[in-house]
Amino acid sequence: MSYVLEAVIASDEVLRLASRGIPGSRVVPLGQGLSLMPMTDEVVAAVTDGSDGRALGFRRLPGGFDALLAQWSAAGPIAYVEAEYFGGDGEQRAAVWVDGALALGPLDEPTKKRFSRAVSPISLALRRLGARSSPGEDEFQAVGLGRHRSNEDWISSSTC
């Protein structure tokens, strides 16, 4: 079974404010006051400036979107995350912007390399956003990122 996530994560307030006016954007609540905005084709088209967005090593980060994320981070920390898994192997990437600048990352873990979930790129990014985990779980689990397995599932679960 596969797991694919390409999303922006921030506090609910920051993300709702930032996503206003972005066609096709959906803000989906997570736990601990965080929310995510899945990167749909419509969102990608709305936020790209047409340049190559691969400079930070992400697969789906739209060209120029890093500058917009930096701008949005003036209101609070904001992360861009990607994860892709199949059969337990996969990869994660994450970066966090704070106060208008890249503050963490980009972090990545290569395909087929197993790593401690407590130090995975997404868990480290969530920790920077203020997420906390309990013994026996990581931040990824603590905020509920395992609830759905694709951006489409996150979107269909949203009500706003």
Side-chain angles (χ1 to χ4, degrees):
M1 184 148 216
S2 66
Y3 179 93
V4 177
L5 177 67
E6 298 149 339
V8 176
I9 301 175
S11 73
D12 187 69
E13 180 181 348
V14 167
L15 198 51
R16 287 189 188 280
L17 180 65
S19 66
R20 282 189 195 152
I22 305 291
S25 66
R26 304 287 279 219
V27 176
V28 184
L30 296 170
Q32 301 187 26
L34 298 176
S35 290
L36 70 77
M37 178 181 72
M39 295 299 293
T40 63
D41 290 342
E42 191 174 4
V43 170
V44 169
V47 299
T48 189
D49 67 4
S51 65
D52 181 9
R54 297 185 188 257
L56 294 176
F58 292 96
R59 290 180 185 226
R60 190 161 168 94
L61 181 71
F65 190 43
D66 56 323
L68 187 55
L69 290 167
Q71 182 182 0
W72 289 349
S73 75
I78 194 161
Y80 179 79
V81 302
E82 293 180 350
E84 186 171 356
Y85 288 92
F86 185 81
D89 288 327
E91 59 190 1
Q92 289 187 14
R93 289 179 181 76
V96 178
W97 287 260
V98 177
D99 295 327
L102 185 61
L104 179 69
L107 305 170
D108 68 342
E109 288 291 337
T111 302
K112 296 185 180 178
K113 179 181 176 189
R114 296 199 182 264
F115 51 88
S116 166
R117 291 174 59 159
V119 295
S120 73
I122 293 177
S123 285
L124 291 172
L126 292 169
R127 197 174 302 157
R128 187 68 185 257
L129 298 178
R132 297 293 172 249
S133 61
S134 300
E137 71 176 356
D138 62 4
E139 289 80 4
F140 189 100
Q141 295 167 309
V143 303
L145 280 175
R147 270 193 340 244
H148 301 291
R149 303 195 66 77
S150 70
N151 281 354
E152 293 78 17
D153 292 344
W154 284 105
I155 292 163
S156 65
S157 77
S158 71
T159 58
C160 52

